[in-house]
Amino acid sequence: MLDQATIDTLRKAPVPPAQNLINGLSCAASDGQVMDVISPVDGSTLTTMPRSTATDADRAIAAARRAFDDGRWSDMAPAARKKIMFKWAELIEKHAPELAVLGVRNNGTEIAMALKAEPLGAAQTIRYYAEALDKVYGEIAPTDGNTLGMIHKTPVGVVGALIPWNFPLMIGAWKLGPALAAGCTVVVKPPETASLTLIRIAELALEAGLPAGVVNVVTGEGAVVGAAIAESMHVDVLTFTGSGTTGRRLIEASARSNMKRVYLELGGKSPNIVFADAPDLTKAAKISAAGIFRNSGQVCIAGARLLVERSIQEEFTDLLIKATESMKIGDPLDLGSAAGAVNSARQLKQNLAFVAEARALGRPVYGGEQLLAETGGFYMAPAIVSDVMPSDRLFREEVFGPVLAVTPFDSDEEAIALANGTEFGLASAVWTSNLSRAHRMIAKLRAGVVHVNTYGGADGTVPLGGVKQSGNGHDKSMHAMDKFFDLKTAWIAL
Ligand code: NAD
């Protein structure tokens, strides 16, 4: 649907200064401040966006509050709400090429993946929850004959949605879809380094007929705008995807303010466990390389730790290097690129520091150099670091970049202990031909997702969430709607 010539035209389109969207109106920050939007593709300044203040966040929250309290959305007939959400999904699809290219210019993801995951993924998610919105309702409890116990599902109210930069539309839709389907109103805080497409799809929502104030978008710094949303007495629930550091702050902010519910989707250091009896090692290597290096490793579920049975360590590492060599790293707007740019200069510096530290510890390192510095963009060769020890920072901490830590193991028990040996519990994978072993590993791995003989690629019908310090909620699937409902009991004497 998107050919190279179209991409090459769209990439030259001027990008006007971005604006907030509050109560259906585009507006600047109240004090007129802006911040530069830097493109990771070539380091140039793409445009500007509002450096909003806490006052702007409060205005957006007030608009969302009014829109919720007067029932302009939650009291609308379900069929009418559904129609608007379907129209919205259709408009996002219609504008998918522009949205995908704009998103890549903003965050550096390779275009093939960006198109599929971002506008098209978002449209699919919005449609999924539009279809669901009149199929979720309350219950009547089996009480005695003298009373009627009714359980109503009522929308929670105003939702604060705080979004990360790796897949702003896909993840944004994971929040907006179920929140709107439940009847809530939303204030979106887009990420500093990937705000443009979220603003654009919020404009498309208005065009689709969403009443003003139901979705509001405020750009700026997390520590200012995000913090104001987190501290607000008028926001009823926070739905967040991002780092554990910010997640912790949100829980504190909730405790300091109105004890709003806080749902966190956080980072990971996901183990990808390859046994010698894996059905096809070449295929496992190919999928494992994609599982860590696509989107330059900036994927929450990335298989960032390869745990490999010692007897095949050398053979599998060679296969992995071969698979990695065949991945073209470069211009994210080239359809042939398997991975594009790292999101920011700061992220690139951090990735390179992890590699330097591994080298200093004497770990064998394949790749991991900065690439294409002459373009002004932020590029990096995938790194495969061997013989990583559980005491290494690279074993325990999330890089959120294209750096794979390889650690050998000798038994199932050791593989499980290594896999579970971090504070995270987001995703995991097991490669084996032994069905009993696969089931044992599914039971023992402390992770929200376990893949068997594959990595990634799950669709919207299954939940995504972490255990331990990878989070406490679920995006995707019908389970995501629970976050945006309150249960109200009506107890009626008969
Ligand atoms: P981040 O925590 O820095 O920022 C996320 C969002 O929170 C941004 O919108 C930011 O502006 C806002 N924010 C930052 N500081 C804030 C504060 N003090 N108060 C309120 N809001 C604040 O995370 P990031 O760097 O954008 O994203 C990368 C992280 O996200 C990684 O750890 C990654 O693993 C995680 N992630 C998790 C999932 C998942 O589904 N579990 C998916 C994608 C990314």
Side-chain angles (χ1 to χ4, degrees):
M1 116 178 248
L2 190 53
D3 57 39
Q4 195 59 52
T6 308
I7 296 170
D8 291 341
T9 305
L10 289 171
R11 74 184 298 164
K12 292 186 203 124
V15 185
Q19 302 271 284
N20 289 329
L21 191 71
I22 299 178
N23 204 26
L25 298 172
S26 295
C27 50
S30 46
D31 63 3
Q33 296 272 329
V34 295
M35 55 204 286
D36 285 341
V37 176
I38 306 295
S39 174
V41 179
D42 57 7
S44 64
T45 303
L46 199 52
T47 186
T48 61
M49 64 180 194
R51 186 186 293 279
S52 306
T53 62
T55 308
D56 299 312
D58 288 343
R59 280 183 50 223
I61 293 165
R65 187 80 257 167
R66 278 195 306 277
F68 182 75
D69 290 346
D70 69 14
R72 73 186 77 164
W73 177 242
S74 59
D75 289 347
M76 194 186 277
R81 287 199 282 135
K82 185 187 275 199
K83 202 168 161 192
I84 290 171
M85 287 182 70
F86 275 138
K87 178 75 187 163
W88 186 24
E90 195 185 306
L91 286 173
I92 293 173
E93 265 173 4
K94 185 176 149 202
H95 292 279
E98 300 102 272
L99 282 164
V101 172
L102 180 64
V104 171
R105 294 170 78 189
N106 200 175
N107 85 340
T109 300
E110 57 276 12
I111 184 72
M113 172 177 259
L115 177 67
K116 190 166 161 225
E118 285 281 277
L120 298 182
Q124 210 170 14
T125 299
I126 302 297
R127 198 170 279 130
Y128 176 92
Y129 289 105
E131 284 164 356
L133 71 75
D134 56 1
K135 296 172 188 67
V136 182
Y137 42 84
E139 297 154 2
I140 295 180
T143 53
D144 66 43
N146 300 319
T147 52
L148 178 64
M150 297 173 71
I151 304 164
H152 292 262
K153 287 191 170 194
T154 58
V156 178
V158 175
V159 174
L162 310 169
I163 313 296
W165 44 260
N166 57 339
F167 292 103
L169 287 190
M170 178 178 84
I171 295 173
W174 290 350
K175 319 291 192 193
L176 283 162
L180 293 176
C184 295
T185 60
V186 188
V187 177
V188 178
K189 158 68 183 80
E192 286 85 331
T193 54
S195 290
L196 303 180
T197 51
L198 273 166
I199 299 168
R200 184 71 191 113
I201 68 160
E203 291 166 354
L204 293 176
L206 283 180
E207 194 179 324
L210 196 76
V214 175
V215 170
N216 307 274
V217 185
V218 188
T219 65
E221 288 166 17
V224 177
V225 176
I229 294 170
E231 298 273 355
S232 172
M233 297 299 285
H234 306 291
V235 171
D236 301 295
V237 56
L238 291 179
T239 173
F240 169 76
T241 297
S243 64
T245 309
T246 306
R248 238 174 254 282
R249 291 198 178 114
L250 300 182
I251 293 174
E252 287 167 6
S254 164
R256 272 196 305 274
S257 54
N258 59 349
M259 295 195 280
K260 58 182 73 63
R261 294 188 214 159
V262 181
Y263 293 105
L264 305 175
E265 309 291 337
L266 307 175
K269 191 78 193 182
S270 299
N272 180 29
I273 309 169
V274 182
F275 285 93
D277 68 356
D280 178 344
L281 285 181
T282 306
K283 188 172 161 202
K286 238 176 148 171
I287 295 178
S288 297
I292 171 65
F293 297 135
R294 64 200 173 131
N295 199 15
S296 304
Q298 302 164 143
V299 177
C300 57
I301 63 161
R305 285 185 300 144
L306 173 70
L307 306 181
V308 59
E309 195 161 358
R310 198 180 299 276
S311 60
I312 57 159
Q313 181 179 7
E314 216 181 297
E315 179 190 357
F316 193 73
T317 308
D318 287 347
L319 287 171
L320 200 64
I321 289 175
K322 213 183 241 171
T324 305
E325 273 167 353
S326 72
M327 296 175 77
K328 184 176 166 229
I329 313 298
D331 182 0
L333 288 163
D334 177 343
L335 276 168
S337 292
V342 170
N343 179 255
S344 63
R346 195 182 74 161
Q347 191 68 34
L348 176 62
K349 194 170 159 205
Q350 179 190 300
N351 297 348
L352 295 170
F354 268 98
V355 175
E357 193 175 312
R359 276 189 214 282
L361 285 171
R363 311 288 177 240
V365 179
Y366 161 84
E369 318 78 36
Q370 183 174 356
L371 297 175
L372 302 167
E374 69 282 4
T375 63
F378 316 132
Y379 298 90
M380 177 175 171
I384 299 173
V385 183
S386 296
D387 298 332
V388 173
M389 303 289 289
S391 53
D392 293 2
R393 199 163 70 94
L394 188 56
F395 186 91
R396 292 175 282 112
E397 288 183 21
E398 183 182 46
V399 178
F400 216 53
V403 184
L404 177 65
V406 183
T407 305
F409 67 85
D410 291 297
S411 67
D412 290 39
E413 292 68 31
E414 193 189 1
I416 291 165
L418 287 168
N420 290 340
T422 72
E423 68 190 30
F424 297 111
L426 190 54
S428 59
V430 185
W431 299 81
T432 179
S433 302
N434 181 329
L435 189 60
S436 303
R437 170 184 270 156
H439 281 289
R440 280 197 307 273
M441 299 298 285
I442 291 170
K444 293 287 178 199
L445 288 171
R446 294 194 64 200
V449 180
V450 186
H451 304 88
V452 178
N453 297 330
T454 184
Y455 209 101
D459 69 16
T461 57
V462 293
L464 173 65
V467 299
K468 301 189 331 196
Q469 291 181 43
S470 283
N472 63 3
H474 289 94
D475 280 330
K476 308 197 329 185
S477 84
M478 293 301 286
H479 295 283
M481 288 194 69
D482 293 343
K483 296 188 286 197
F484 305 107
F485 283 121
D486 275 325
L487 296 181
K488 178 189 283 182
T489 296
W491 194 239
I492 304 168
L494 297 179

